[in-house]
């Protein structure tokens, strides 16, 4: 069962929906504005709504492509016999969508800017490593695309859901508590009630929350984990990646991605520009909305997209 547009009467998400159907499954995405493409990828438990303010700011000079992962946001909720809900499949979904946009929707295959948050950073960077010539710039919000840094550890509740047996995962699937908690604990300044409701709206109903559970269970911690191939396990990033202009906007009070993750981004991308927002939480784009948007806008203005 998929959410419908009528269920989201939010004035701050007044975008035209687009759909890409592949193998009988529809993926929802936003395609706003014109110019060099900017790809914005959300994580878990979120959806394209998190990028609403960034889209409105950038679409005057950029083409903003903002997908909802399958099983999230306004995208379809297929059964696992149709869609395995793994991170590797998420990467394949993204590649198919981008190829569709380039081949049939007039989006260029050069000059892309990647903006990632949470799992969007993992999936986005995996895509970027396969298509480095397509990229001009990278913007990362609180995320990771590498193994846990030394000394870092998953919060206890994620460890419990990921590997604690059936009851914890069943609870996340059965109730909307995890999603509701994220909209409260992921920020340091309380979100307005309508915004909290909008974050949680796509996940009302047990049949709509499978992707939330599977994302947690797919967190890569060891080489035997299915999502391990998506992260860069080498000591340094490839030169074609580190040569790209990069901006890191970081919420300093993130309960999941702590300071060790930021230090690892800086170690792997020593030339990256870093903007730390010490009082912002996991959803840094909410806690420091105007500042993050200003940083991204300035960064894009100072680093024009690469030409063929």
């Amino acid at each position: 069962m998929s959410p419908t547009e009528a269920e989201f009467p939010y004035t701050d998400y007044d975008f035209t929906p687009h759909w890409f159907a592949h193998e009988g499954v529809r993926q929802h995405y936003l395609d706003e504005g014109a110019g060099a493409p900017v790809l914005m990828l959300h994580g878990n438990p979120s959806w394209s709504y998190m990028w609403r303010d960034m889209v409105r700011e950038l679409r005057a000079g950029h083409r903003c492509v903002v997908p909802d992962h399958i099983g999230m946001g306004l995208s379809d909720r297929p059964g696992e016999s149709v869609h395995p809900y793994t991170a590797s499949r998420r990467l394949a979904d993204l590649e198919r969508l981008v190829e569709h946009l380039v081949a049939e929707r007039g989006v260029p295959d050069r000059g892309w800017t990647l903006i990632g948050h949470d799992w969007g950073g993992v999936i986005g960077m995996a895509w970027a490593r396969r298509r480095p010539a397509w990229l001009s710039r990278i913007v990362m919000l609180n995320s990771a695309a590498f193994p846990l840094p030394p000394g870092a550890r998953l919060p206890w509740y994620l460890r419990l859901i990921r590997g604690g047996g059936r009851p914890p995962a069943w609870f996340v699937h059965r109730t909307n508590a995890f999603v509701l908690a994220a909209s409260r604990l992921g920020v340091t300044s309380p979100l307005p009630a309508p915004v909290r409701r909008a974050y949680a709206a796509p996940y009302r109903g047990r049949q709509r929350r499978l992707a939330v559970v599977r994302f947690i269970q797919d967190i890569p911690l060891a080489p035997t984990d299915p999502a391990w191939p998506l992260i860069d396990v080498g000591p340094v990033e490839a030169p074609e990646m580190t040569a790209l202009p990069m901006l890191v906007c970081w919420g300093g009070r993130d309960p999941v991605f702590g300071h060790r993750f930021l230090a690892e981004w800086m170690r792997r991308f020593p030339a990256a520009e870093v903007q730390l927002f010490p009082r912002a939480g996991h959803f840094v784009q909410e806690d420091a909305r105007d500042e993050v948007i200003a940083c991204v806008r300035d960064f894009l203005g100072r680093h024009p997209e690469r030409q063929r």
Side-chain angles (χ1 to χ4, degrees), residues 240-291:
E240 59 266 28
M241 296 298 294
T242 56
L244 293 170
M246 183 174 188
L247 170 67
V248 180
C249 293
W250 201 263
R253 294 173 62 183
D254 189 331
V256 178
F257 298 103
H259 67 277
R260 290 183 176 88
F261 289 88
L262 174 58
E264 184 66 8
W265 279 113
M266 296 170 66
R267 187 187 71 80
R268 289 172 174 269
F269 293 87
E273 302 176 28
V274 177
Q275 292 291 333
L276 174 63
F277 301 94
R279 298 188 177 185
H282 179 64
F283 291 113
V284 60
Q285 87 292 345
E286 297 288 354
D287 279 327
R289 178 187 59 190
D290 295 342
E291 296 90 338

Side-chain angles (χ1 to χ4, degrees), residues 66-304:
V66 194
D68 286 327
H69 299 302
I70 300 298
M72 310 191 86
L74 292 176
S75 292
D76 282 354
R77 268 69 167 165
E80 287 187 275
S81 62
V82 176
H83 191 282
Y85 290 92
T86 62
S88 297
R89 180 58 180 266
R90 307 293 186 183
L91 175 57
D93 293 338
L94 176 62
E95 289 182 316
R96 288 167 179 157
L97 173 62
V98 171
E99 290 167 3
H100 161 73
L101 293 172
V102 171
E104 301 182 32
R105 304 290 295 178
V107 180
D109 63 358
R110 292 294 186 273
W112 286 74
T113 298
L114 168 66
I115 305 182
H117 177 261
D118 193 86
W119 267 102
V122 178
I123 297 166
M125 289 297 290
W127 172 77
R129 294 185 191 105
R130 295 187 179 192
R131 295 282 191 272
W134 290 32
L135 262 70
S136 286
R137 300 160 292 204
I138 300 173
V139 178
M140 281 292 128
L141 279 58
N142 291 49
S143 182
F146 37 75
L148 287 179
R153 196 180 185 194
L154 283 184
W156 67 268
Y157 49 88
L158 290 180
R159 297 198 307 271
L160 189 64
I161 298 166
R162 180 184 181 275
R166 182 180 177 185
W170 177 89
F171 180 78
V172 172
H173 196 183
R174 185 72 177 180
T175 76
N176 214 13
F178 184 80
V179 176
L180 294 171
S183 67
R184 291 181 179 273
L185 301 179
V187 292
T188 56
S189 299
L191 294 173
V195 174
R196 289 200 312 272
R197 289 194 293 269
Y199 267 100
Y203 308 107
R204 294 176 185 147
R206 182 176 184 274
Q207 68 276 19
R208 297 180 180 177
R209 289 191 286 267
L210 179 60
V212 174
V213 181
R214 294 293 182 258
F215 258 127
I216 300 171
Q217 293 173 327
D218 213 20
I219 295 172
L221 298 180
T224 54
D225 292 329
W228 190 257
L230 272 69
I231 61 177
D232 191 331
V233 299
V236 294
E237 290 278 348
E240 59 266 28
M241 296 298 294
T242 56
L244 293 170
M246 183 174 188
L247 170 67
V248 180
C249 293
W250 201 263
R253 294 173 62 183
D254 189 331
V256 178
F257 298 103
H259 67 277
R260 290 183 176 88
F261 289 88
L262 174 58
E264 184 66 8
W265 279 113
M266 296 170 66
R267 187 187 71 80
R268 289 172 174 269
F269 293 87
E273 302 176 28
V274 177
Q275 292 291 333
L276 174 63
F277 301 94
R279 298 188 177 185
H282 179 64
F283 291 113
V284 60
Q285 87 292 345
E286 297 288 354
D287 279 327
R289 178 187 59 190
D290 295 342
E291 296 90 338
V292 169
I293 288 175
C295 286
V296 173
R297 184 178 60 236
D298 174 72
F299 173 76
L300 297 183
R302 288 187 289 103
H303 297 283

